Amino acid sequence: LNQNLSPTISVVLATYNGEKYIQEQLDSVLNQSYKNLEIIIVDDCSTDNTITILNKYATEHSNIKLFRNEKNLGFIKNFDKGCSLASGEYIALCDQDDYWDKYKIEKLYSNIGDAPMVYSDSFLCDDKLNKSGKKVSDKVNCMTINSCLQHAVFCRIYGHATLMSKSLYRRATPFIPDIPHDWWLCFIASTMGEIKYVDEPLSYYRQHSLNMIGIAGGKKRGHHKQNKKRGEKEKIRRRVQAFYNICPDSLVKEKKVLNNLLRFYKNFFLLSNLKRVILFFKYYKYFLAPKKRSLLSNYLFCIKMFITIK
């Protein structure tokens, strides 16, 4: 790789109360073998020592550009803002609590070609970065993506593992509040071309209590639980509507399937329920592509769509 001819790549790091891990992550970004990097950091009104740490790094490294929000935007809008400030031809999203292999950016750039996005595998680690013995690919299907229908129901490509073209970001902004930013970007990328996969772990994906919120939470009872379920269903419907809207008309098959998904998600009348199940059976190889399931599990999931939506 000729560093003198390589394009600028913008690393976009969104921070919020990340004092515990931020230094390790920044050191791993600064130590990348790919040198033509600008590092865009947007702090979302941290109340701990994060901003002090960031100011120190920004003073010591000229390629770090530090911004601080006047009010808290939340992680989706914060990443959107960070990407909007990037001047590079490519953008690499960066979480505040992970750690990057020294050759991560170089290898992703070497593999992206003319694709809108490329991603790699990641090591799963504990809060001290000790490897668990598992990789993301042990938990989910990691592969080259060539249809947006593979991201219509689930997405298991994580932002920290991706490199994307600036043109992808321009098409995706503004990010949708109801959809995680990495899911939204992956869906749109798969309408623009294939998403390439590098079968090598290039990140250390730290698992800790602060990034597991919402997974191990307690259940709510009574009308609060019902209200939450109603809210989730509406959020799912808005997600599918956004996917349908952004899918270009030139993708005739995908547009038709998303339209049917949208129609059959609108209510739980008997006919809608039956058509939803039939649709899932017909396209389960797309809808369930990211998940590691047996054929029987896939069939049971499709049947479950009679009483729920995903």
Side-chain angles (χ1 to χ4, degrees), residues 71 121 137 143-144 199 240 265 275 297:
K71 63 178 182 179
D121 203 351
S137 59
M143 57 193 169
T144 294
D199 188 13
V240 178
Y265 270 24
K275 288 183 175 180
S297 294

Side-chain angles (χ1 to χ4, degrees), residues 148-204:
C148 65
L149 296 181
Q150 292 170 286
H151 285 147
V153 179
F154 295 103
C155 180
R156 293 297 182 264
I157 296 177
Y158 303 103
H160 74 267
T162 63
L163 177 70
M164 65 178 173
S165 66
K166 187 68 174 291
S167 59
L168 167 56
Y169 168 70
R170 291 193 187 104
R171 178 157 170 72
T173 189
F175 294 172
I176 306 297
D178 290 320
I179 308 172
H181 61 285
D182 40 11
W183 191 351
W184 178 239
L185 287 163
C186 288
F187 182 87
I188 295 175
S190 58
T191 69
M192 297 172 64
E194 68 178 16
I195 300 176
K196 294 185 176 181
Y197 173 57
V198 176
D199 188 13
E200 183 178 354
L202 299 176
S203 300
Y204 294 72

Side-chain angles (χ1 to χ4, degrees), residues 11 13 21-35 37 39 57 61 94-106 129 160 202-204 206:
V11 175
L13 172 58
Y21 306 116
I22 191 66
Q23 294 183 72
E24 280 185 297
Q25 176 64 300
L26 278 172
D27 288 341
S28 74
V29 173
L30 290 164
N31 193 42
Q32 288 294 297
S33 62
Y34 191 102
K35 297 304 180 185
L37 298 178
I39 303 170
Y57 273 83
H61 301 277
C94 184
D95 292 338
Q96 66 184 7
D97 49 4
D98 298 327
Y99 189 86
W100 287 3
D101 180 274
K102 179 178 181 177
Y103 299 99
K104 178 191 173 184
I105 295 295
E106 180 179 341
L129 282 183
H160 74 267
L202 299 176
S203 300
Y204 294 72
R206 200 188 307 253

Side-chain angles (χ1 to χ4, degrees), residues 290-307:
K291 300 180 78 67
K292 283 202 167 181
R293 290 176 176 270
S294 66
L295 185 60
L296 176 60
S297 294
N298 283 333
Y299 285 171
L300 291 174
F301 187 94
C302 294
I303 293 170
K304 185 181 176 182
M305 289 303 101
F306 187 85
I307 58 172

